[in-house]
Amino acid sequence: MEPFKKQTGIVTLLDLPNVDTDQIIPKQFLKRIERTGFGQFLFYDWRFIDGKKPNPDFEMNADRYRGATILATRANFGCGSSREHAPWALLDYGFRCLIAPSFADIFHNNCFKNGILPVKLSESQVETIFERVRKTPGYRLTVDLEKKKIVSDDGLDFTFELDEFRRHGLLGGLDDIGLTLQYENKILAYEANHREISPAPPGQTSI
Amino acid sequence: MKPKTMFEKIWEAHVVHEEAGQPSLLYIDRHLVHEVTSPQAFEGLRLTGRRVRRPELTFATMDHNVPTTNRKIPIQDAVSAKQIETLVQNCSEFGVALFDLDSPDQGIVHVIGPELGLTLPGQTLVCGDSHTSTHGAFGALAFGIGTSEVEHVLATQCLLQDKPKTFWIEVNGRRPYGVEAKDIILSIIGRIGTDGGTGSVIEYAGETIRRLSMEERMTVCNMSIEAGARAGMIAPDEKTFDYLRGRRYAPDDFDAAVERWRKLPTDVGSRFDRVLRVDAASLAPQITWGTNPGQVVAVDVCVPNPSDFSDPNARKSAERALDYMGLKAGTAMTEIPIDRVFIGSCTNARIEDLQRVARFVKGKRVALKVYAMIVPGSQQVKKQAENEGLDRIFKEAGFDWRESGCSMCLGMNPDILKPGERCASTSNRNFEGRQGKGGRTHLVSPIMAAAAAVEGRFADVRKYGRKGA
Ligand code: SF4
């Protein structure tokens, strides 16, 4: 996983609350068995008319947002299905940072596993970003995970919260499985002491 | 001793490692796997040379992507076929038990877990699927995870988790005729919103919940995720134990297990972060009108007007939803005609759901212009329904009777709506395009779906009374 330290990039907008993962990546694209190649299908039913022509009414399609790496959106982003194909598609399309007043739980977790930083700001802070992005084509933000800050050339300066564990993991691009395996002795001890809670079901042989 | 909630008891019994400022490392007792969210996880194991730590606690099936027509014909869609074949290979390579397409135990993962006795009280259970909350009906801590977490559990049998908040929802009062478990949970989601449970584990309690059958409890817990909750759970009781006794993977020393399970329910005097009380006696059958499960009303009212919403985001959502759904504010819900009916999904495709539908449609006919299908949740459900002759009642009434799977709940297989088609569906998500691009989904209970099939438009099932149904 690619570490996330500091990113400066164009901000694009998705002005809807409760965007569900079915919209982020529709089900017909979940049949692939790879983690890559989902970006072309991101927001598929909104981005394209008849699956081919870019939809001019979809804000993100405007030229001014080309090359955006930061997505600002509304509350409860990523609700619904647990499909990790959603963060895979966002990442593959080029987004490294998402800004919203709130995120759905499973989606929020999934982002960190893929080097995407979801930043929670207040409704009014998000509104400020929306206003500035709409006013200035090519509007850029710098997201600094070391300092937990979002700043811009025109003086915007927001601080955000993130727990240390996740911040540390993203900064280092750390692999959770590797971290957990450091506790192998504790896992073994747990398994030895909790046989009645987690026995192998009848017919299954324990290792 | 400080009184504890059921959630706290299960959580504490599963902590492998804890450190301030870090998520807890939790042990996982059961891991259910399906074809759509697992290939990348198994591939990750291969790339790092890791194995499945406890294959005997891991069980797989194929449900999302499978055709529900004749199973003897090879799968037409090459990409679907490859995904299914990949699961077969992964399970054999890593030693995981698989309920394959031709297994008599195949079915939707959240239907077969309880059916086989894989889901047990007091357990931690995960699956790469958000409706894993279903299994909480047994007093388990069950939640959905992403594919990276699937890989993590495969490799370590553990999961890193932040401790969620607790949310007590107490439902009391006698349900009127026509008000089903589905209506209870839809009305709760309507009240607290699709993010009302974010960061929380909900415990459903109260006399109304106690009176629900195990299958009805699963319907309630299933849709916890639609309120944004991490998990939903219901304390185990005699009904739970009776349901599980004798199931294939239930513990051999069942009575000893029951003694342990009796200690699980929340202690009197426990504290919850949030509490909500619901009066079941005042509920009516529910129908969603919009494009998220929180956009729901009682059957006897009209499509709401966006200007009724004071919150600007809710207003904007409502406008967009009405446009997508092709509905006008002020239309009575019972005046909305439908094209399709889907009875199925991990929410409402168990045997009791089908029995209720059969009782209702016996001797009635599906309206001429409606295409209605019933997709049993598992092969076991299908077999039992056929043994009871339900399939004949359905076919005589004009329903299509299918093989088990997720089917049109998400339309990954060929079962999809055409653009503009309107569907009464017993599934759990009415998102834009969920059942097919441009398709319009209204979530309802099984008998509301059956009544809509018969009348060709939404109907208030209460008018059929106890005798008519
Ligand atoms: S039936 Fe629907 S909600 Fe349930 S597991 Fe299948 S796709 Fe998901």
Side-chain angles (χ1 to χ4, degrees):
Chain A
M1 182 177 98
E2 204 174 317
F4 188 111
K5 293 198 164 77
K6 193 168 164 178
Q7 282 273 330
T8 300
I10 295 179
V11 185
T12 190
L13 303 177
L14 182 55
D15 194 1
L16 283 172
N18 302 314
V19 173
D20 57 80
T21 53
D22 272 82
Q23 305 317 320
I24 299 174
I25 179 92
K27 72 291 189 117
Q28 63 267 39
F29 307 116
L30 306 185
K31 298 175 184 176
R32 299 166 63 90
I33 55 171
E34 300 86 19
R35 273 175 198 258
T36 51
F38 291 101
Q40 53 188 315
F41 309 122
L42 180 73
F43 300 124
Y44 190 80
D45 289 343
W46 290 346
R47 242 170 86 204
F48 300 106
I49 298 172
D50 297 331
K52 288 190 275 296
K53 238 173 72 216
N55 177 0
D57 296 334
F58 189 55
E59 192 167 11
M60 214 179 277
N61 280 341
D63 268 346
R64 53 184 294 188
Y65 297 121
R66 187 154 297 161
T69 57
I70 300 170
L71 172 66
T73 184
R74 303 294 186 180
N76 200 27
F77 187 74
C79 60
S81 155
S82 62
R83 57 186 72 164
E84 198 163 317
H85 311 68
W88 294 338
L90 288 160
L91 185 69
D92 195 51
Y93 184 84
F95 293 121
R96 290 301 309 279
C97 175
L98 313 172
I99 300 172
S102 61
F103 296 91
D105 284 336
I106 305 179
F107 174 81
H108 190 247
N109 265 337
N110 285 342
C111 284
F112 292 100
K113 316 284 182 197
N114 292 284
I116 298 176
L117 171 63
V119 175
K120 280 184 217 173
L121 294 177
S122 70
E123 295 266 0
S124 70
Q125 288 172 322
V126 171
E127 188 53 41
T128 304
I129 293 177
F130 266 77
E131 283 165 11
R132 294 199 185 190
V133 169
R134 289 217 168 108
K135 224 165 54 204
T136 317
Y139 189 80
R140 295 157 83 86
L141 287 175
T142 297
V143 183
D144 185 339
L145 184 57
E146 302 256 8
K147 298 200 183 112
K148 295 194 271 188
K149 269 188 172 301
I150 293 188
V151 298
S152 71
D153 291 343
D154 64 346
L156 183 136
D157 187 343
F158 292 152
T159 306
F160 61 88
E161 288 305 318
L162 185 67
D163 68 82
E164 259 325 284
F165 180 81
R166 289 208 165 106
R167 193 174 77 105
H168 184 72
L170 266 188
L171 285 171
L174 301 181
D175 158 30
D176 277 354
I177 298 179
L179 286 178
T180 296
L181 289 174
Q182 293 173 3
Y183 298 109
E184 174 67 18
N185 283 338
K186 289 205 138 185
I187 302 175
L188 283 171
Y190 182 92
E191 285 174 336
N193 294 330
H194 291 80
R195 294 211 179 275
E196 87 282 6
I197 297 184
S198 188
Q204 297 291 98
T205 29
S206 262
I207 36 164
Chain B
M1 245 178 22
K2 181 176 162 282
K4 282 182 184 161
T5 66
M6 176 164 63
F7 160 74
E8 285 165 332
K9 293 179 195 181
I10 300 176
W11 178 274
E12 286 169 14
H14 288 85
V15 171
V16 173
H17 176 73
E18 232 172 5
E19 221 169 290
Q22 286 193 13
S24 305
L25 192 61
L26 280 194
Y27 202 78
I28 301 301
D29 300 323
R30 288 285 183 276
H31 187 188
L32 307 180
V33 170
H34 69 75
E35 78 277 20
V36 177
T37 56
S38 67
Q40 296 86 353
F42 283 112
E43 183 61 16
L45 294 185
R46 259 191 297 273
L47 290 173
T48 47
R50 289 171 179 142
R51 62 189 175 90
V52 175
R53 184 183 179 90
R54 295 198 65 186
E56 79 279 14
L57 304 184
T58 312
F59 295 84
T61 191
M62 36 191 71
D63 50 6
H64 283 64
N65 206 348
V66 302
T68 55
T69 44
N70 191 341
R71 289 270 159 89
K72 301 207 172 61
I73 302 169
I75 297 175
Q76 298 295 307
D77 177 342
V79 197
S80 292
K82 176 148 187 229
Q83 192 173 59
I84 285 163
E85 183 49 32
T86 303
L87 182 65
V88 175
Q89 281 171 10
N90 284 332
C91 287
S92 96
E93 182 180 339
F94 289 94
V96 171
L98 168 68
F99 306 108
D100 207 343
L101 212 49
D102 52 12
S103 160
D105 299 317
Q106 180 272 346
I108 305 173
V109 64
H110 311 308
V111 175
I112 69 168
E115 206 168 67
L116 294 169
L118 288 168
T119 309
L120 298 174
Q123 283 185 333
T124 49
L125 182 153
V126 297
C127 173
D129 191 284
S130 58
H131 290 99
T132 309
S133 57
T134 312
H135 308 261
F138 291 79
L141 176 59
F143 48 89
I145 56 178
T147 298
S148 294
E149 292 175 310
V150 170
E151 185 181 339
H152 192 282
V153 176
L154 289 174
T156 69
Q157 203 59 34
C158 293
L159 196 62
L160 288 162
Q161 281 290 302
D162 292 315
K163 194 166 181 177
K165 296 196 286 281
T166 52
F167 190 170
W168 171 265
I169 298 185
E170 193 177 308
V171 189
N172 289 306
R174 188 164 281 282
R175 285 188 281 156
Y177 171 80
V179 172
E180 304 209 335
K182 180 69 159 281
D183 301 304
I184 296 176
I185 186 65
L186 278 173
S187 72
I188 289 172
I189 299 163
R191 264 175 78 173
I192 66 176
T194 52
D195 57 359
T198 302
S200 309
V201 167
I202 298 175
E203 178 172 347
Y204 303 95
E207 44 158 315
T208 314
I209 300 291
R210 294 259 70 82
R211 274 203 302 267
L212 297 178
S213 70
M214 286 315 295
E215 296 194 354
E216 290 173 318
R217 292 178 189 183
M218 287 187 243
T219 299
V220 172
C221 287
N222 173 275
M223 289 191 73
S224 302
I225 180 70
E226 266 63 64
R230 283 303 272 142
M233 55 200 330
I234 293 172
D237 57 14
E238 294 309 318
K239 275 186 202 165
T240 319
F241 310 144
D242 288 346
Y243 178 97
L244 288 170
R245 194 172 282 115
R247 303 246 166 204
R248 186 179 326 155
Y249 293 104
D252 283 333
D253 52 349
F254 196 80
D255 293 337
V258 167
E259 282 321 301
R260 281 199 311 279
W261 297 340
R262 285 190 201 284
K263 302 192 187 97
L264 287 168
T266 292
D267 299 330
V268 179
S270 299
R271 290 181 57 89
F272 284 79
D273 296 303
R274 192 176 164 195
V275 173
L276 176 77
R277 292 204 161 72
V278 176
D279 173 20
S282 67
L283 294 180
Q286 307 280 305
I287 309 185
T288 62
W289 52 267
T291 52
N292 75 52
Q295 290 175 324
V296 63
V297 288
V299 59
D300 52 2
V301 305
C302 296
V303 176
N305 196 321
S307 63
D308 298 345
F309 297 90
S310 53
D311 172 60
N313 272 329
R315 193 180 319 133
K316 205 157 59 183
S317 279
E319 277 165 10
R320 195 185 159 91
L322 290 190
D323 182 48
Y324 179 87
M325 294 296 290
L327 291 176
K328 274 224 290 293
T331 312
M333 293 307 291
T334 47
E335 274 166 23
I336 302 172
I338 55 155
D339 308 298
R340 310 263 305 239
V341 171
F342 171 66
I343 295 175
S345 90
C346 59
T347 314
N348 279 127
R350 297 186 178 78
I351 191 66
E352 292 173 7
D353 295 315
L354 303 191
Q355 288 164 342
R356 280 198 307 280
V357 169
R359 271 200 300 277
F360 183 87
V361 301
K362 190 166 187 183
K364 301 190 181 81
R365 286 284 314 169
V366 170
L368 261 186
K369 61 176 192 55
V370 172
Y371 170 72
M373 70 197 281
I374 301 183
V375 183
S378 70
Q379 285 298 307
Q380 284 198 28
V381 170
K382 177 167 190 261
K383 192 159 159 245
Q384 186 177 345
E386 288 173 355
N387 287 342
E388 294 176 10
L390 306 187
D391 59 320
R392 261 178 293 124
I393 297 176
F394 297 145
K395 287 182 211 158
E396 273 161 26
F399 284 90
D400 202 355
W401 173 244
R402 296 294 190 96
E403 298 290 336
S404 53
C406 295
S407 178
M408 210 165 70
C409 173
L410 92 164
M412 246 185 107
N413 76 349
D415 309 334
I416 55 171
L417 293 180
K418 293 201 234 5
E421 275 188 330
R422 191 177 298 285
C423 180
S425 177
T426 66
S427 56
N428 44 53
R429 286 187 176 139
N430 51 341
F431 298 149
E432 286 183 27
R434 170 82 177 180
Q435 296 191 298
K437 188 176 155 69
R440 294 162 171 165
T441 303
H442 295 265
L443 303 177
V444 286
S445 74
I447 55 168
M448 283 285 288
V454 168
E455 297 205 12
R457 61 182 60 230
F458 288 110
D460 188 340
V461 288
R462 291 174 299 183
K463 74 180 179 198
Y464 290 91
R466 281 209 185 269
K467 284 204 192 66

